[in-house]
Amino acid sequence: MTIRELIEKVTNKYKEMTTTNNNSYLEVLKEELNNLDLPELTGSQKQIAWAEDIRRKALEEVLHNLCWAEKFGTYGRKKFTDNTYKAIEITKEKQIKRIEEVVAQTSSKWWIDGRHYFKELHTYTSTKTEYTLKYDLNSIARYTQKQLDKLELAKQTGEAQVIVRDSAQGVIFKVTPKGEVVVENLIAK
């Protein structure tokens, strides 16, 4: 089972559950994590055992956070518009891609060196972006929705303006006076 399949399966199970007991949700996730196809780690047997434990705990927490946000709508939105749903999908996709990137790390040493970043339940971010695993889904969804709203307004009014500068992806989105969206790639420059 892949990360995406796991998230889909667990999210659907979470949505069906009527309890609000956090432990019940974690049990569902832990059970399903056993079916996840994770890349084998490299290193000594001791390093591999330690790194697998770190990776599993980190995955439990970050996937629980994502599934919880899906079930309870904790993306920080009170009023839903078309852009809200788009923002949530963009945020979810960004989180899933990051989880896939981090899980692709096969070096036990990498997981062990980053273990301090994965210990805290709500602080899986660091100045070392290689260890950033858990995003603040609420903030990202809110920011993304604001950007989508600005883009929509610019299309309607025909204003030429910079809408989003996404340095992580290395792009700038602009709207021309005709309402066309232009994407400039910063990395190529």
Side-chain angles (χ1 to χ4, degrees), residues 17-111:
M17 294 173 74
T18 55
T19 181
T20 55
N21 182 342
N22 209 16
N23 291 333
S24 299
Y25 292 108
L26 281 172
E27 289 306 314
V28 167
L29 182 59
K30 286 177 184 180
E31 182 184 312
E32 292 300 333
L33 266 174
N34 294 329
N35 301 321
L36 184 61
D37 296 325
L38 294 171
E40 289 194 26
L41 298 174
T42 59
S44 71
Q45 286 183 342
K46 191 174 179 180
Q47 286 175 319
I48 290 171
W50 190 12
E52 282 178 347
D53 187 52
I54 294 165
R55 179 173 67 177
R56 183 172 179 81
K57 287 177 182 171
L59 274 175
E60 282 175 14
E61 290 302 325
V62 76
L63 292 173
H64 178 256
N65 182 57
L66 183 60
C67 293
W68 190 264
E70 282 286 291
K71 177 176 172 93
F72 294 106
T74 54
Y75 288 94
R77 308 315 313 143
K78 291 178 183 160
K79 182 179 170 190
F80 280 78
T81 66
D82 287 345
N83 285 341
T84 309
Y85 295 110
K86 286 181 197 170
I88 288 171
E89 283 307 308
I90 290 168
T91 303
K92 181 180 173 183
E93 186 60 27
K94 184 175 185 176
Q95 177 68 84
I96 292 170
K97 281 183 179 176
R98 186 60 192 148
I99 294 168
E100 289 172 335
E101 287 170 10
V102 171
V103 168
Q105 295 291 337
T106 58
S107 166
S108 294
K109 182 184 181 325
W110 185 90
W111 285 97

Side-chain angles (χ1 to χ4, degrees), residues 85-150:
Y85 295 110
K86 286 181 197 170
I88 288 171
E89 283 307 308
I90 290 168
T91 303
K92 181 180 173 183
E93 186 60 27
K94 184 175 185 176
Q95 177 68 84
I96 292 170
K97 281 183 179 176
R98 186 60 192 148
I99 294 168
E100 289 172 335
E101 287 170 10
V102 171
V103 168
Q105 295 291 337
T106 58
S107 166
S108 294
K109 182 184 181 325
W110 185 90
W111 285 97
I112 293 166
D113 289 348
R115 69 189 177 278
H116 301 294
Y117 298 114
F118 301 128
K119 271 188 179 172
E120 288 294 317
L121 299 183
H122 303 293
T123 55
Y124 288 163
T125 57
S126 73
T127 53
K128 290 186 173 188
T129 55
E130 66 181 310
Y131 293 115
T132 301
L133 177 57
K134 185 188 246 182
Y135 291 119
D136 180 346
L137 300 174
N138 182 324
S139 296
I140 291 175
R142 232 184 289 161
Y143 174 78
T144 304
Q145 182 177 352
K146 284 180 185 174
Q147 299 307 317
L148 290 171
D149 289 344
K150 284 182 187 177

Side-chain angles (χ1 to χ4, degrees), residues 150-163:
K150 284 182 187 177
L151 186 61
E152 192 65 37
L153 181 64
K155 282 182 185 177
Q156 290 171 7
T157 61
E159 292 179 22
Q161 57 182 319
V162 174
I163 302 301

Side-chain angles (χ1 to χ4, degrees), residues 164-187:
V164 180
R165 180 182 178 134
D166 189 338
S167 55
Q169 294 181 0
V171 295
I172 294 178
F173 296 90
K174 293 183 180 180
V175 177
T176 68
K178 294 180 182 178
E180 300 165 331
V181 179
V182 178
V183 180
E184 289 185 11
N185 189 343
L186 297 176
I187 296 171

